[in-house]
Amino acid sequence: MKLLIGALILLAQASALAVEVPRYMSYGSSSFASHGLGYTCFAFDVGADVLPCNPAFMAKERKRVFKSNVFFGNNVSYAQEVVDLVKGNADQGTVKKLFEERESSELEANVEAGFLAETFAISYSPARINYYTLFRNQALPEVTVFASQEEATKLQLASYIEKNMYLGLQMRYVHRKFIASNFFLTDALAENGKDLFRSQEQNILYFEPSFLYSRNDIAYLPEVSLSLVNLGLYDEKFEEYPSSPQVHLSGSIQPVVAYGNLGLGGDIFWDQSVKSALEPLTLGAFYRFGVLKLFGSLAEHNNGVGFQVIYENFNLGLTYSYRQIKDALGEQFSYRRVYMQLGIEI
Amino acid sequence: MKKWVLLFSLLALVSCQNKADQESEDVQLQRATRNIDKGEYNDAIQSLQTLKTKSTNPKVVMTLASAYAGRAGIKVDQYWGFVVGYESLLPEFADSDKVKSQKYAISSQWIAKIPSEQDRKSAEELNKILVQMDGILARIERIPYVAREHREDLHTAVSELSELKTQGSALYKAILEVILLKSAIEDTRTIFESLRQKGSNCERSGQELLTWVKYSWQLLTQIFEDVAVAYPSKKESIEKVASPIRPAASLLSSNALLIPLAKVCQ
């Protein structure tokens, strides 16, 4: 009985609230294309990333190609400090540099290389860096810091089944080191401030299947897809990284246009974090003409637009992303970010 | 079986209630922080004082102290430079020979008027303190001056932080004390200027001067103690700087310096 009472008391001492990580960072799969297309990257493959968001599209891949991209957003100058922070090498100088601006900031950067063939693709990302800080209280800044470094390997397999149906599977292994902490600025600058930046590690093996129905015999090429993402085996779960799977129902058409290719699509998703009726819906579009690809998306809280220019084996792209986030007090904050990608395709 | 069901229900209820209470405390803290950022300090102080009666979370006290500091007009932009470069406050501080300015020192002509040798030595000690204060002021030039009517909020903030024993709270307390010290030294200069003026009430100004000097020295002693808490590995070097000032603090506490000043005023 005493043991049970002890357990009761222990359980009653609830742990502190976890740091709230922006969702697109916590799912570990944000990319150049997804910042511009949002979740409609499951609806069509514009070829802007190394691998498509939806593995079922690999079933329609017909050529062999090697691709490599470097993708980064604002504040890339902080990259070394972020890596130091995650690896436990941060000192007072690192802290002072990161907090010098005393403004909320964000950094996302990724390097990825992959090989695509018919019905099969593999990619490796040695370093995806995410960094996010939130500053509150100008009298004594209260800082929320999230920093992560990930190494990921993706394998996509896909196959035609029958009657215009395709099946795809993405297996993704991610090794991640991250820090998620909330503290006052003076806590970080005091002597034991380093203790606030203890990193944690996580290994996950994801299994992300996708089903695609595609009618190539109809002029406007309608497609419907059902995908499951974030379904994985975790060595350890953390509140900062949601482990609940996400389901996507996407559809697209490509109306015939006089010049180039136009695609219009939509995506509806569901997971445990959905709070409003409109939140799951994203509408997107792309237009391809010669060396230029344009794409964009609209959703309740996230909008994006981007372009990519291809010249011989090289490509260069820019994406603009606009997000709105509601905090615990119901107040909305908006964020505008620009991302750049440089790539090579052989 | 019923016992188990009851026990697990109780477990769930307590766990949920604690989670609800904790979320409620976090939301209240966030709301108070939002009020501070909007400049609504009175609302923040009121809600945090209420929260403090129900919570032992040190975050509540830190946020409350920051609300008082914010109401006194103190924001991070004004003390960031000191926080990242506090070491400049420490070295060579006690060595008054290296401090060149004598602008706010008692002139040697005045000291010569003092009949007693012991009193003259006391006056010279006071002069050393005044010159050192000038040296301190030169190092904390960029720290803001806070008008007297707002200093009560800073004192309240410092008093709130005294309840905590963390390194972070000690550092913040030291920052606020440096701001109070800067303001006190500036006021000391103003009083010193008034002493020089003809027709001024020499004895009253002299007493006021000593009061401010004594208060500044008490603040300085406290700052060194708090910085030593924030940076324990630097305690030795801080002690090396702080130890010469303690005799001066004792001297000021004994009012021994009132005598030579009174003699000068006669």
Side-chain angles (χ1 to χ4, degrees), chain B residues 4 6 20 25 62 90 92 101 121 166 178 188 199 231 235 237 244 248:
Chain B
W4 286 108
L6 188 64
E25 180 180 294
M62 289 284 274
L90 300 177
E92 300 174 7
S101 169
K121 276 189 182 158
T166 63
V178 166
T188 310
Y231 301 99
K235 206 170 175 178
S237 56

Side-chain angles (χ1 to χ4, degrees), chain B residues 137-180:
Chain B
L137 196 61
R139 290 192 174 97
I140 56 174
E141 237 173 356
R142 283 185 284 179
I143 297 284
Y145 173 82
V146 175
R148 290 193 204 184
E149 59 267 26
H150 296 305
R151 281 184 225 165
E152 195 186 326
D153 276 340
L154 284 185
H155 283 295
T156 310
V158 166
S159 169
E160 293 288 346
L161 291 167
S162 302
E163 296 174 19
L164 301 176
K165 304 292 172 204
T166 63
Q167 289 183 7
S169 63
L171 181 57
Y172 188 43
K173 187 164 168 272
I175 290 165
L176 297 181
E177 284 161 346
V178 166
I179 295 167
L180 284 167

Side-chain angles (χ1 to χ4, degrees), chain A residues 191-262:
Chain A
E191 192 166 291
N192 64 359
K194 272 187 84 169
D195 296 344
L196 294 166
F197 303 114
R198 274 208 195 103
S199 64
Q200 293 168 305
E201 284 189 56
Q202 193 183 36
N203 292 287
I204 316 109
L205 181 61
Y206 293 100
F207 293 91
E208 296 166 321
S210 173
F211 169 80
L212 173 69
Y213 179 73
S214 173
R215 293 295 301 269
N216 296 331
D217 52 335
I218 298 176
Y220 54 91
L221 305 175
E223 290 182 339
V224 175
S225 174
L226 184 68
S227 310
L228 182 66
V229 297
N230 215 46
L231 178 69
L233 299 170
Y234 299 77
D235 64 345
E236 195 176 346
K237 290 187 181 180
F238 296 94
E239 276 186 72
E240 291 82 2
Y241 283 98
S243 55
S244 65
Q246 202 178 58
V247 177
H248 289 266
L249 177 65
S250 343
S252 68
I253 56 171
Q254 291 189 36
V256 176
V257 291
Y259 300 100
N261 303 103
L262 173 69

Side-chain angles (χ1 to χ4, degrees), chain B residues 117-263:
Chain B
E117 192 185 330
Q118 191 175 351
D119 290 344
R120 280 200 299 275
K121 276 189 182 158
S122 298
E124 275 157 14
E125 286 299 319
L126 175 61
N127 245 3
K128 272 190 196 169
I129 292 168
L130 291 170
V131 166
Q132 281 174 341
M133 282 172 67
D134 224 28
I136 296 167
L137 196 61
R139 290 192 174 97
I140 56 174
E141 237 173 356
R142 283 185 284 179
I143 297 284
Y145 173 82
V146 175
R148 290 193 204 184
E149 59 267 26
H150 296 305
R151 281 184 225 165
E152 195 186 326
D153 276 340
L154 284 185
H155 283 295
T156 310
V158 166
S159 169
E160 293 288 346
L161 291 167
S162 302
E163 296 174 19
L164 301 176
K165 304 292 172 204
T166 63
Q167 289 183 7
S169 63
L171 181 57
Y172 188 43
K173 187 164 168 272
I175 290 165
L176 297 181
E177 284 161 346
V178 166
I179 295 167
L180 284 167
L181 177 67
K182 155 71 181 263
S183 306
I185 296 176
E186 288 272 10
D187 285 349
T188 310
R189 277 183 164 182
T190 309
I191 295 162
F192 199 92
E193 289 291 338
S194 73
L195 255 179
R196 290 188 195 181
Q197 283 164 13
K198 283 185 184 172
S200 66
N201 187 329
C202 177
E203 216 164 299
R204 196 185 70 188
S205 295
Q207 282 204 344
E208 210 180 339
L209 177 74
L210 276 177
T211 306
W212 278 102
V213 173
K214 182 175 160 184
Y215 167 65
S216 302
W217 234 240
Q218 281 169 346
L219 272 174
L220 195 56
T221 313
Q222 193 56 54
I223 288 166
F224 284 131
E225 281 179 22
D226 290 328
V227 173
V229 169
Y231 301 99
S233 69
K234 296 192 172 132
K235 206 170 175 178
E236 249 184 69
S237 56
I238 293 168
E239 180 56 31
K240 206 171 144 191
V241 171
S243 55
I245 72 162
R246 289 204 186 95
S250 313
L251 185 70
L252 289 163
S253 298
S254 71
N255 287 328
L257 295 172
L258 268 177
I259 300 162
L261 266 178
K263 291 271 191 314

Side-chain angles (χ1 to χ4, degrees), chain B residues 13-33:
Chain B
L13 192 67
V14 170
S15 188
C16 287
Q17 184 58 38
N18 274 301
K19 200 168 178 202
D21 283 347
Q22 184 155 15
E23 281 177 351
S24 174
E25 180 180 294
D26 279 327
V27 168
Q28 285 180 69
L29 268 169
Q30 277 196 49
R31 192 167 285 119
T33 305

Side-chain angles (χ1 to χ4, degrees), chain A residues 3-50:
Chain A
L3 203 64
L4 283 165
I5 292 170
L8 187 76
I9 293 166
L10 203 64
L11 269 170
Q13 288 167 353
S15 61
L17 270 184
V19 163
E20 275 184 53
V21 178
R23 189 197 281 165
Y24 63 93
M25 283 189 181
S26 62
Y27 276 103
S29 55
S30 70
S31 64
F32 175 70
S34 66
H35 279 299
L37 284 168
Y39 286 135
T40 55
C41 76
F42 287 98
F44 28 61
D45 175 23
V46 297
D49 291 336
V50 171

Side-chain angles (χ1 to χ4, degrees), chain A residues 23 39 267-269 274-283 298-302:
Chain A
R23 189 197 281 165
Y39 286 135
D267 178 273
I268 298 172
F269 82 91
V274 171
K275 290 184 179 84
S276 69
L278 271 180
E279 191 184 337
L281 177 64
T282 308
L283 299 173
L298 282 173
E300 191 188 20
H301 300 301
N302 305 316

